[in-house]
């Protein structure tokens, strides 16, 4: 009898270990966040970084694994970490945006993030989600298929993360504070970077250039992340085509291109074949600037692809698009489609519960609002930005998620409008600085939706200060992009263009400059989810809104309580 029980138990155990559940692992990391001095661009600067490196550690997981990250805040600043693009199904407490889902981790304190990554594969990333700290507090989060499953494309010879960044010679928090104090634009960055290195076209940076060794005939998977704070970037490799196979950790139909364009926060997985004459080829990233009359660093960052057994030679440089090449950016952003045969494809919801029309753009707040004194914005006021003319003010006493969970009043109101207060000719340049339309005010209004509700949003850019491409990122959920265009959205004309068959499914949509994008998603994750412009300066100015997704009817659709060691405000 004893023997039989033992044999049975062993059989059960081996059954369990061969099932997909048993293959999921717990992946544990420690993040030590500290200020350190680095030397770049002939200067030394103090940056905040994780585990002493820029970018920070690369996290590798398989779909289905759980991540446990112990964050030790040894920096002098308040800190939170966001896991960009991770669905956080029923783990919204660990999403990270300051005062949205959590209060900051104070200097000298620590907090452990714990969540499982399910239903997504590809390239994601993590970054600080408080003030401008993400400029240097960021790194890759790579999700591979679980055991027994493979990529929906031929297995590459090697995989290489390519993290695009932006560097200031000053402390970024000072740059941000100065812009907010003056009410005008911030000081522009001093360099763009690839994997923390400016590259040999900047002063004192020849040794600070990424070198990627390749073998003739082999295929490489580049996992490209735009971690730059305020810049959309073009990315090219001399003489090599790229085949895009995923964006925002969601598989796409293979799309061959000679230029990849990534807005702040977006990721792309691209295959390249080392099929050229053995030699040296530059990869380079340069800014796409859609707004007119703004200051920016018109420079580019480089890395070098070196074929094995090739003679040392001067690398070949790709021809980069000009900074305002909107057609090239638009072609890339609109040509991608979702892979119907991908493992997690769920199909576009066809019935819509919530329809919203949301303007996104810049406006003004009165000079004397919020204790302002110096006002360098247009009309002698301070620049603010808004969605449907609501400029988001984050709370400071309690996070929105705690207020939702504990039913605490006075932290937010649920009257975020489904439409702008006034209909007008949104993209008409004649409405620039229109006094009737341009003034906005700060408040904490959220949009409440039922669990599993389907939501369609037309995101409409405005021209009140100037048109500009705004990359709108949604936390905790991903959405389908049905259509995009320029000018004002016209429902009769433009809904005919909706792709309801195989649209790209992403978490960050660069809304075309002076144009619109239509997105659709199912709110299947209870919690509080921030939607904001990923151009960080614009978040500082209030270009954000919040979805509160209510609990569902079953225990598995209800947000569990926060962890006992949750940071307090
Ligand atoms: Cu990349 Cu709100 O985040």
């Amino acid at each position: 009898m004893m023997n039989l029980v033992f044999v049975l138990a062993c059989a059960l155990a081996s059954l369990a270990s061969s099932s997909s559940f048993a293959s999921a692992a717990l992946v544990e990391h420690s993040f030590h966040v500290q200020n350190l001095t680095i030397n770049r661009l002939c200067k030394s600067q103090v940056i905040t970084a994780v585990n002493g490196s820029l970018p920070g550690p690369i996290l590798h997981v398989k779909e289905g694994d759980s991540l446990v990250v112990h964050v030790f805040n040894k920096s002098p600043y308040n800190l939170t970490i966001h896991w960009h693009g991770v669905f956080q199904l029923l783990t919204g407490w660990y999403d990270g945006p300051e005062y949205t889902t959590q209060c900051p981790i104070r200097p000298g304190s620590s907090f452990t993030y714990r969540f499982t990554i399910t239903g997504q594969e590809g390239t994601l990333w993590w970054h600080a989600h408080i003030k401008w700290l993400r400029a240097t507090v960021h790194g890759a989060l790579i999700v591979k298929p679980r055991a027994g499953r493979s990529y929906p494309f031929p297995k590459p010879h090697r995989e290489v993360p390519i993290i695009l960044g932006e560097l200031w010679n000053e402390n970024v928090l000072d740059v941000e504070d100065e812009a907010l104090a003056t009410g005008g634009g911030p000081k522009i960055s001093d360099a763009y970077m690839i994997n923390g290195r400016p590259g040999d076209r900047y002063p004192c940076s020849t040794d600070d250039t990424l070198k990627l060794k390749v073998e003739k005939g082999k295929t490489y998977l580049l996992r490209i992340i735009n971690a730059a704070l305020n810049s959309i970037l073009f990315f090219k490799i001399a003489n090599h085509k790229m085949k895009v196979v995923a964006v925002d950790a969601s598989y796409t139909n293979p799309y061959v291109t000679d230029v990849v364009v990534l807005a702040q926060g977006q990721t792309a997985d691209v295959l390249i074949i080392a099929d050229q004459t053995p030699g040296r080829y530059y990869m380079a990233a340069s800014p796409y600037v859609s707004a007119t009359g703004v200051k920016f660093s018109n420079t580019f960052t480089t890395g070098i692809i070196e074929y094995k057994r090739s003679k040392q030679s001067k690398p070949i440089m790709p021809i980069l698009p000009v900074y305002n090449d909107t057609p090239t950016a638009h072609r890339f952003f609109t040509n991608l489609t979702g892979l119907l045969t991908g493992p997690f494809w769920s199909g576009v919801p066809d019935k819509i519960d919530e329809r919203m029309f949301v303007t996104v753009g810049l406006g003004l707040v009165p000079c004397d609002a919020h204790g302002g004194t110096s006002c360098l914005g247009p009309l002698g006021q301070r620049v603010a930005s808004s969605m449907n003319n609501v400029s988001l003010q984050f709370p400071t006493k309690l996070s929105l998620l705690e207020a939702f969970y504990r039913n605490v009043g006075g932290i937010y109101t649920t009257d975020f409008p489904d439409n702008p207060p006034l209909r007008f000719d949104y993209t008409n340049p004649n409405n620039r600085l229109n006094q009737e339309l341009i003034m906005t005010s700060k408040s904490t209004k959220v949009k409440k939706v039922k669990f599993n509700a389907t939501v369609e949003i037309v995101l409409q850019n405005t021209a009140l200060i100037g048109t500009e491409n705004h990359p709108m990122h949604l936390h905790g959920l991903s959405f389908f992009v049905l259509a995009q265009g320029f000018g004002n959205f016209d429902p009769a004309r433009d809904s005919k263009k909706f792709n309801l068959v195989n649209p790209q499914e992403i978490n960050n949509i660069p809304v075309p400059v002076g144009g619109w994008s239509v997105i659709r998603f199912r709110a299947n994750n209870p919690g509080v989810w921030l939607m904001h412009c990923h151009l960080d300066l614009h978040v500082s100015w209030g270009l954000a809104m919040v979805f509160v997704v209510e609990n569902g009817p079953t225990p598995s659709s209800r947000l569990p309580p926060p962890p006992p060691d949750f940071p307090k405000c």
Side-chain angles (χ1 to χ4, degrees), residues 259-416:
V259 57
V260 164
V261 194
L262 290 182
Q264 303 85 337
Q266 288 190 303
T267 73
D269 295 2
V270 311
L271 296 171
I272 60 160
I273 305 174
D275 57 1
Q276 294 300 302
T277 315
R280 303 171 84 221
Y281 300 87
Y282 273 120
M283 58 174 94
S286 64
Y288 162 50
V289 182
S290 61
T292 46
V294 295
K295 291 197 216 107
F296 67 99
S297 167
N298 198 359
T299 61
F300 56 90
T301 173
T302 50
I304 300 170
I305 292 189
E306 278 180 353
Y307 279 67
K308 282 194 185 146
R309 288 180 291 275
S310 68
K311 287 180 233 79
Q312 280 301 92
S313 59
K314 212 166 163 280
I316 298 172
M317 188 68 201
I319 299 168
L320 288 161
V322 289
Y323 72 89
N324 58 0
D325 188 348
T326 291
T328 292
H330 194 65
R331 193 177 322 122
F332 183 82
F333 291 143
T334 50
N335 272 357
L336 297 167
T337 49
L339 186 68
L340 296 184
T341 52
F344 308 110
W345 181 262
S346 62
V348 184
D350 48 3
K351 110 177 187 327
I352 301 158
D353 301 314
E354 302 274 357
R355 273 179 205 277
M356 302 175 75
F357 183 99
V358 180
T359 54
V360 295
L362 305 186
L364 297 172
V365 283
C367 183
D368 53 5
H370 318 286
T373 45
S374 136
C375 294
L376 298 184
L379 304 177
Q381 314 284 5
R382 304 162 63 77
V383 181
S385 51
S386 63
M387 299 175 72
N388 276 351
N389 211 32
V390 177
S391 187
L392 183 69
Q393 173 82 54
F394 289 99
T396 52
K397 295 200 181 70
L398 194 65
S399 73
L400 297 170
L401 185 58
E402 284 168 285
F404 161 71
Y405 181 79
R406 301 185 202 289
N407 234 321
V408 179
I411 303 292
Y412 61 79
T413 56
T414 55
D415 53 348
F416 183 86

Side-chain angles (χ1 to χ4, degrees), residues 408-530:
V408 179
I411 303 292
Y412 61 79
T413 56
T414 55
D415 53 348
F416 183 86
D418 287 346
N419 291 286
L422 275 176
R423 274 167 179 257
F424 61 98
D425 190 357
Y426 307 106
T427 53
N428 188 337
N430 294 335
N431 274 329
R432 195 171 170 267
L433 302 182
N434 180 328
Q435 301 256 19
E436 313 267 291
L437 301 167
I438 200 168
M439 299 312 286
T440 180
S441 59
K442 303 262 171 193
S443 58
T444 315
K445 297 182 199 283
V446 309
K447 167 73 184 174
K448 216 178 189 179
V449 299
K450 293 237 171 331
F451 174 74
N452 246 344
T454 51
V455 183
E456 181 179 286
I457 314 177
V458 177
L459 294 160
Q460 173 70 59
N461 188 207
T462 61
L464 295 174
I465 285 191
T467 54
E468 180 166 11
N469 184 303
H470 295 280
M472 299 303 297
H473 169 51
L474 177 61
H475 284 227
L477 300 155
S478 60
F479 48 75
F480 295 100
V481 183
L482 304 189
Q484 309 187 64
F486 295 101
N488 296 322
F489 175 75
D490 174 347
R493 178 193 64 197
D494 295 325
S495 53
K496 293 197 192 92
K497 298 180 199 145
F498 285 6
N499 177 356
L500 299 170
V501 179
N502 66 351
Q504 45 178 316
E505 186 177 10
I506 52 179
N507 60 49
N508 187 349
I509 175 71
V511 178
V513 48
W516 50 269
S517 303
V518 183
I519 63 169
R520 210 182 268 186
F521 62 93
R522 182 178 293 282
N524 58 4
N525 191 4
V528 170
W529 307 113
L530 189 62

